Amino acid sequence: MREFEFTKAPINWIPATILVATPIAAAIITPWYLFTHDVSAPVWGVFGAFMVWTGISITAGYHRLLSHRAYKAHPIVKNFLLLGSTFAVQGSAFDWVSGHRTHHRHVDDRLEDPYSAKRGFFFSHMGWMLRNYPSGKFDYKISLT
Ligand SMILES: [Zn+2]
């Protein structure tokens, strides 16, 4: 029965549209823009800084600081990481922490892990966002394991 719920999970239209359209648009628009415009060094610098900031914010912020409580941080650092995580467009801290703690609690369980690698590489990285799977329901009361 639970496996049936996975195969018949309704499409999550807004994230699915964004996740499909964005890489297609980027693959077309980015080369065109770079070919037809001069991009100055400061713009590349800001791009690089945002890549580093958002990447560190997800890793050190949403993941290690909030999901695992691996360390304590000064409120300025915490807010810096939360802002960077917001720019990373990976959803709210509440949703991210809930999903990640559920993932660790049921790691690689086909039905309980929201990002189960047992469902394949694509599912564990992107597929889980395309449909409203039963394992994707958020539990904001889930604690550290
Ligand atoms: Zn983790």
Side-chain angles (χ1 to χ4, degrees):
M1 179 61 189
R2 195 82 201 270
E3 189 69 34
F4 176 78
E5 292 176 40
F6 265 85
T7 57
K8 296 296 179 194
I11 294 173
N12 210 359
W13 282 106
I14 292 174
T17 302
I18 292 169
L19 287 168
V20 170
T22 303
I24 293 169
I28 295 167
I29 294 169
T30 304
W32 165 79
Y33 189 87
L34 293 174
F35 193 71
T36 58
H37 295 75
D38 286 331
V39 180
S40 65
V43 170
W44 282 111
V46 169
F47 171 74
F50 266 77
M51 292 294 287
V52 171
W53 181 19
T54 56
I56 287 174
S57 293
I58 291 296
T59 304
Y62 274 12
H63 187 209
R64 302 306 302 166
L65 177 63
L66 298 177
S67 295
H68 292 286
R69 293 190 187 144
Y71 64 96
K72 294 187 184 312
H74 188 278
I76 291 173
V77 173
K78 189 183 270 187
N79 284 308
F80 176 79
L81 294 173
L82 283 170
L83 185 60
S85 297
T86 300
F87 286 137
V89 195
Q90 292 198 14
S92 78
F94 296 110
D95 291 354
W96 207 101
V97 168
S98 168
H100 192 70
R101 287 181 178 176
T102 302
H103 162 68
H104 274 287
R105 180 165 288 179
H106 305 287
V107 70
D108 290 341
D109 181 295
R110 280 183 61 81
L111 300 176
E112 301 297 331
D113 179 356
Y115 329 118
S116 179
K118 294 268 171 63
R119 293 192 164 274
F121 180 84
F122 180 79
F123 177 88
S124 67
H125 288 85
M126 282 190 67
W128 66 271
M129 292 180 273
L130 303 180
R131 292 179 177 265
N132 288 314
Y133 293 104
S135 61
K137 289 186 173 62
F138 296 115
D139 175 5
Y140 300 115
K141 293 181 179 174
I142 192 165
S143 60
L144 293 167
T145 53

